[in-house]
Amino acid sequence: MSAFASKGFNANAYLALRPTYNRSLLNWLLEYHHGPRTDAIDVACGPGTFTTDLSQRFDSVIGIDPSSSMIESATGDARARNINNVEYRLGSGEKLPAETDSADMITVMQGAHWFRINEFYSEAIRVLRPGGTLAMVGYGYPEIANLPASANGRDFAHKLATDKNLLEPYWDKGFRLIDGIYAPLVDEIRKDGRFGDIAYVGYPKSINDNATVSVLPDSWIDSKTMSFDDFRSYLKTWSAYKAWKDVYPANDDIIDSYFDEYQLKHGLQGNREVVVEWPHFAIVARKAPAGN
């Protein structure tokens, strides 16, 4: 998460371009939770994308993030929308700035892969009330759904992210868990022994090719229609791109070069509308109730 927390990271662009979660996600989590909805904590909250969703269903919500620019952006967004039951705090997953037994639900949206996971699990156990829910949601590389098959749009961003000659060397090592759809984190939480009722779910059906995932009936992330130029701007919110820019500030832009070559090859204009989809997955578990 170092690139997100570094000076110069544009949290407002991140907020504007990143995918958003629809009602199906929170509805599913609350059906699983079936407990009190007094206090929730959203860890690695970023600009508050999901934190504000939680605020509609819980009495009080705390968003936690290590990036001051993210906290500033989230606070400003909540203020502008007159959301008064959310508080944002600087902090990390390994040392949550929250009281023991203070949360009914802890969520992590696209952030658990950055954590020292066993330390985070211990903190989640400390902060959750008995019977409380932990939910860790992630999404994979975006896929372009409406280009001709010859353009292989579904693999376009994946290649940019994972090619050793492109951005692969610039990801923090935790981000590699995205390719594995959090399977190692499932193994760790099962071995931990302090959580029960563990669910491992994902969408769409193709996500189950490499892991044993229960396929969700509905998507939790709506597709987005944007111009190809806007898609270019979205990929520039990736932490690996920020890390590359820090190393090569004077070089020709790596994402611009990648896009320009692809557009020339396939005859695509920057104003071409593309439909972008995000495969996604989640690990959800429960702290043991009191007396167990």
Side-chain angles (χ1 to χ4, degrees):
M1 192 175 286
S2 57
F4 291 146
S6 64
K7 184 178 180 181
F9 181 75
N10 189 337
N12 290 324
Y14 184 99
L15 176 61
L17 295 166
R18 285 274 168 150
T20 53
Y21 307 99
N22 61 39
R23 292 182 180 180
S24 295
L25 168 54
L26 191 50
N27 289 341
W28 190 97
L29 290 180
L30 292 175
E31 280 188 26
Y32 172 95
H33 176 62
H34 59 73
R37 301 181 190 175
T38 306
D39 300 287
I41 295 177
D42 189 26
V43 187
C45 67
T49 304
F50 191 67
T51 321
T52 53
D53 291 346
L54 287 169
S55 72
Q56 300 172 31
R57 309 294 284 274
F58 284 80
D59 295 340
S60 178
V61 183
I62 297 171
I64 296 171
D65 201 274
S67 166
S68 58
S69 64
M70 290 289 196
I71 294 296
E72 182 180 353
S73 178
T75 301
D77 179 66
R79 187 183 302 116
R81 295 165 62 187
N82 200 30
I83 299 172
N84 299 314
N85 63 334
V86 172
E87 176 190 351
Y88 290 101
R89 300 176 181 175
L90 280 171
S92 70
E94 296 82 6
K95 193 173 182 179
L96 297 174
E99 299 293 327
T100 298
D101 293 340
S102 63
D104 301 305
M105 180 181 287
I106 293 175
T107 60
V108 189
M109 301 291 135
Q110 192 70 352
H113 45 279
W114 304 117
F115 300 160
R116 296 188 297 276
I117 199 63
N118 291 313
E119 293 178 42
F120 170 68
Y121 288 157
S122 292
E123 277 291 85
I125 286 292
R126 178 184 69 81
V127 172
L128 281 170
R129 295 181 176 124
T133 296
L134 171 64
M136 300 177 290
V137 178
Y139 53 81
Y141 303 111
E143 300 178 357
I144 303 175
N146 66 328
L147 292 181
S150 59
N152 198 15
R154 289 197 175 274
D155 193 50
F156 176 77
H158 184 270
K159 180 181 178 183
L160 175 64
T162 61
D163 191 309
K164 288 181 170 54
N165 295 315
L166 297 169
L167 291 181
E168 192 275 340
Y170 303 97
W171 294 109
D172 285 358
K173 64 179 182 179
F175 204 85
R176 288 162 176 78
L177 291 167
I178 291 294
D179 251 355
I181 61 173
Y182 280 8
L185 303 190
V186 180
D187 295 340
E188 289 299 324
I189 202 168
R190 286 172 176 159
K191 289 189 295 184
D192 184 278
R194 294 173 291 179
F195 295 92
D197 299 335
I198 298 167
Y200 184 31
V201 298
Y203 186 91
K205 185 177 180 180
S206 60
I207 206 167
N208 203 30
D209 291 347
N210 299 313
T212 305
V213 179
S214 297
V215 179
L216 295 163
D218 302 298
S219 174
W220 288 350
I221 299 177
D222 291 328
S223 62
K224 279 192 173 184
T225 299
M226 63 184 78
S227 71
F228 205 56
D229 282 344
D230 284 342
F231 187 57
R232 181 191 301 233
S233 296
Y234 161 61
L235 297 190
K236 289 185 178 183
T237 71
W238 280 358
S239 61
Y241 173 70
K242 174 65 169 59
W244 178 88
K245 286 280 287 184
D246 288 344
V247 176
Y248 300 109
N251 282 31
D252 290 342
D253 190 282
I254 192 169
I255 286 183
D256 286 342
S257 297
Y258 184 69
F259 267 74
D260 291 347
E261 180 181 349
Y262 183 85
Q263 288 180 237
L264 183 63
K265 179 178 180 180
H266 297 287
L268 298 174
Q269 300 298 315
N271 62 358
R272 167 70 181 264
E273 283 196 340
V274 292
V275 177
V276 182
E277 300 174 344
W278 288 265
H280 45 283
F281 40 88
I283 304 165
V284 187
R286 203 182 317 276
K287 179 179 174 178
N292 284 29

